[in-house]
Amino acid sequence: MTWWRDAVIYQVYVWSFADSNGDGIGDLPGVRSRLPYLRSLGVDAVWLNPFYPSPQADNGYDVADHRDVDPRFGTLADAEALIEDAHRLGLRVILDLVPNHTSDRHPWFRAALDTPPGSRERARYLFRDGPRSDQPPNNWISAFGGRAWSRAGGQWYLHLFAPEQPDLDWTNDEVRAEFRDILRFWFDRGADGFRVDVAHGLAKDPQMPDVDSLTTGAAPEGHPHWDLDEVHDVYREWRALADAYPGERVFVGEIWVQSPERLARYLRPDELHTAFNFTFLSATWTAEALRTAIDESLRSLRAVGAPATWVLSNHDVTRHVTRYGGGEAGVRRARAAALLMLALPGGAYVYQGEELGLPEVLDLPDEARRDPTFFRSGGTDPGRDGCRVPLPWSGESPSYGFGPGEKSWLPQPDQWAGLTVERQSDDPESMLRLYRAALRQRRLLPALGDGEMEWIPAAPGVLAFRREPGFVCMVNVGDSPAPLPVDLSVVLASSPFDGPLLPGATAVWFRS
Ligand code: GLC
Ligand code: CA
């Protein structure tokens, strides 16, 4: 069995996981010290958000050196030690690769500005002359708001994200060679794989025509810079490179496209291994929406032989407790969603803090915010800081064990005193205990993980499916109690119940 087909991968947002030195910023020694927690949670691997040297214009997605560690987070030796420790504990390590753009402080971009238009150095990026110095080459917009072009060195350069993140030109051989070398650098240090940032963005239409519909949502087909066919060449090259290493090194793509079919094209047997399932993440909390997302995902992935990866949250979206309505109802639904996600065929991602049932922090003061989307939208978009607040581990006051002192780079809400790992470990009804139990059962029950599922007829608002051998998952997505099957024994329930009816927003795992 290939490990990645049904791995549960825990996303560590390094900024916010654990701070070893009290500066209020998470770091690699902090992550290292908490690896036993992840081991006992029962996950198979960790994915670390970027920790490379960076001016942090976009919290590390503006990389200035792909082969080192930002001093905020530690040293290269810390990264190596982390990988080693993780392996010793039986955890694999996935790193974050950011190939679409570099930082504007990357030596390549500095060199591009130090040389005249037309230079070999400029050819690694997408410099163009606009019609005028106040008029960019086309109407493309940045995913973070505002236009996708800025001026430097007497020309315009493209940035699909912040101006501090100039886009690379993936038709350039030096760019390609550089990234092959970066992959080897980390594979040689034991990395088990990479999460590929904006994997649908690398190729651009060389004519750079205007975009018809200016939207930052999933790319419509025929778009000039999202999801072009040429990106697939890059992944074929990388797959061959990864396959030459022992131990099944893998890629997971961050790919926002308009349909599960378009997504599946990235997962053909000689391309990326898996991709985040944003169709599932984006589905609203109704039986119909969830079932459609599940069916469409499985159908399109089956066609290319790739496994699904189920995702509820990550560092770019509103935490799902809040998305599902917030408060007690949001928590209850999130509990049911966790059992649904972990029972579906394939792998799953757990974003740090979801196992604690953390809500989105909605009331961060403006001065505390850092996300460029907040600033570039003039504050109309609250941005992504609310899902990035440092984790509460223990104690009664900030930083709740995040670091040795009180500091955390984003302020933690007072209510988080009740949500610490320490508190939840002792509470059998807690979200943490539910995740631990579910992950443990997932290892014990042979039906779970990779494989097939089959829907069972159920009352409206209820999802029920069977997996062989001998497993049934039932989720009452709606609010009214629904009849339970007879003759099945309960393995795990997302909320307590007794009697013949399954309460609303409750999931149950059965053994038959
Ligand atoms: C991806 C990352 C996001 C980042 C963007 C630009 O979407 O997940 O955090 O801002 O790429 O690199
Ligand atoms: Ca620190």
Side-chain angles (χ1 to χ4, degrees):
M1 239 312 267
T2 40
W3 72 271
W4 49 272
R5 291 190 64 90
D6 56 7
V8 178
I9 302 182
Y10 186 96
Q11 178 186 353
V12 168
Y13 195 70
V14 179
W15 266 90
S16 303
F17 188 66
D19 169 22
S20 70
N21 60 355
D23 64 358
I25 300 174
D27 47 51
L28 297 185
V31 179
R32 255 183 100 185
S33 72
R34 298 292 189 179
L35 288 174
Y37 166 76
L38 298 178
R39 173 75 273 190
S40 70
L41 182 60
V43 298
D44 303 298
V46 295
W47 149 38
L48 300 158
N49 285 102
F51 51 65
Y52 318 107
S54 161
Q56 307 289 340
D58 182 22
N59 281 17
Y61 283 96
D62 47 324
V63 180
D65 178 354
H66 295 85
R67 297 179 187 77
D68 204 349
V69 172
D70 191 299
R72 285 176 187 80
F73 302 134
T75 62
L76 185 57
D78 290 327
E80 289 169 342
L82 192 162
I83 295 172
E84 228 172 86
D85 284 5
H87 286 169
R88 208 173 303 124
L89 289 167
L91 294 166
R92 289 189 162 86
V93 181
I94 309 287
L95 305 183
D96 211 316
L97 185 74
V98 190
N100 182 66
H101 42 262
T102 68
S103 161
D104 63 343
R105 313 302 302 180
H106 190 286
W108 272 12
F109 196 71
R110 305 324 295 170
L113 296 185
D114 286 344
T115 51
S119 67
R120 169 182 161 184
E121 286 78 5
R122 285 204 185 189
R124 298 163 180 155
Y125 293 90
L126 291 159
F127 281 88
R128 293 289 182 276
D129 297 314
R132 295 203 320 244
S133 64
D134 60 352
Q135 201 180 331
N138 64 29
N139 72 348
W140 294 3
I141 55 168
S142 149
F144 289 167
R147 61 185 174 200
W149 297 93
S150 290
R151 275 190 84 73
Q155 284 189 297
W156 294 95
Y157 69 90
L158 180 72
H159 53 83
L160 294 182
F161 295 88
E164 295 86 354
Q165 294 165 298
D167 280 46
L168 290 164
D169 183 345
W170 274 87
T171 64
N172 182 292
D173 287 338
E174 275 189 276
V175 170
R176 292 208 178 201
E178 173 71 358
F179 275 84
R180 285 194 301 269
D181 195 67
I182 294 164
L183 292 177
R184 285 192 205 100
F185 180 88
W186 290 107
F187 281 151
D188 289 341
R189 280 164 183 74
D192 296 286
F194 288 90
R195 176 254 187 201
V196 183
D197 190 60
V198 201
H200 56 304
L202 274 46
K204 278 94 184 175
D205 182 335
Q207 304 303 321
M208 299 208 159
D210 277 354
V211 176
D212 303 334
S213 63
L214 291 172
T215 146
T216 49
E221 227 163 307
H223 195 280
H225 66 67
W226 295 133
D227 194 26
L228 273 72
D229 287 343
E230 287 74 14
V231 301
H232 296 281
D233 301 342
V234 176
Y235 303 131
R236 288 195 191 98
E237 200 175 280
W238 291 3
R239 179 62 177 259
L241 189 155
D243 283 350
Y245 276 86
E248 295 187 277
R249 315 294 173 105
V250 300
F251 296 108
V252 50
E254 186 217 16
I255 303 165
W256 295 89
V257 285
Q258 120 242 56
S259 68
E261 280 71 33
R262 296 296 298 181
L263 185 73
R265 301 175 80 240
Y266 289 77
L267 307 180
R268 289 175 284 196
D270 60 345
E271 297 194 41
L272 304 177
H273 299 73
T274 58
F276 299 108
N277 187 340
F278 294 133
T279 304
F280 182 68
L281 181 151
S282 310
T284 53
W285 184 253
T286 63
E288 205 190 358
L290 291 165
R291 185 173 167 150
T292 306
I294 293 165
D295 279 342
E296 286 185 359
S297 306
L298 291 176
R299 183 172 12 87
S300 55
L301 293 169
R302 203 173 292 126
V304 291
T309 63
W310 308 99
V311 191
L312 293 168
S313 280
N314 68 32
H315 66 293
D316 291 327
V317 301
T318 303
R319 282 187 178 275
H320 59 275
V321 162
T322 304
R323 271 193 350 254
Y324 290 155
E328 264 177 49
V331 171
R332 192 177 171 97
R333 289 172 174 178
R335 295 174 67 94
L339 290 200
L340 169 61
M341 162 172 97
L342 294 172
L344 290 169
Y349 281 82
V350 174
Y351 175 48
Q352 66 174 44
E354 80 173 63
E355 81 280 20
L356 304 177
L358 298 185
E360 184 82 0
V361 180
L362 298 168
D363 57 355
L364 289 171
D366 286 358
E367 333 60 271
R369 293 188 186 272
R370 280 193 57 108
D371 184 0
T373 60
F374 173 74
F375 299 100
R376 285 181 64 85
S377 70
T380 54
D381 181 337
R384 302 163 292 178
D385 292 314
C387 66
R388 300 175 175 180
V389 173
L391 288 197
W393 291 91
S394 60
E396 299 298 325
S397 60
S399 65
Y400 303 110
F402 167 62
E406 290 169 14
K407 280 199 198 161
S408 66
W409 67 280
L410 287 170
Q412 301 154 302
D414 295 340
Q415 303 85 300
W416 284 19
L419 294 175
T420 61
V421 170
E422 185 178 50
R423 283 268 198 107
Q424 295 201 36
S425 297
D426 296 334
D427 175 3
E429 314 264 273
S430 69
M431 187 72 91
L432 179 57
R433 293 279 290 265
L434 179 70
Y435 269 79
R436 282 195 181 141
L439 290 167
R440 196 179 115 80
Q441 287 299 335
R442 207 180 134 96
R443 285 174 192 270
L444 295 175
L445 295 168
L448 294 190
D450 198 20
E452 297 294 327
M453 63 175 270
E454 191 195 327
W455 293 109
I456 304 171
V462 175
L463 298 175
F465 57 93
R466 186 193 317 281
R467 304 202 55 194
E468 295 302 343
F471 174 88
V472 169
C473 174
M474 185 169 167
V475 190
N476 186 353
V477 183
D479 295 323
S480 33
L484 279 163
V486 283
D487 298 342
L488 294 177
S489 46
V490 173
V491 177
L492 195 59
S494 64
S495 297
F497 68 94
D498 57 78
L501 295 177
L502 182 61
T506 309
V508 193
W509 287 3
F510 298 101
R511 220 181 8 227
S512 58

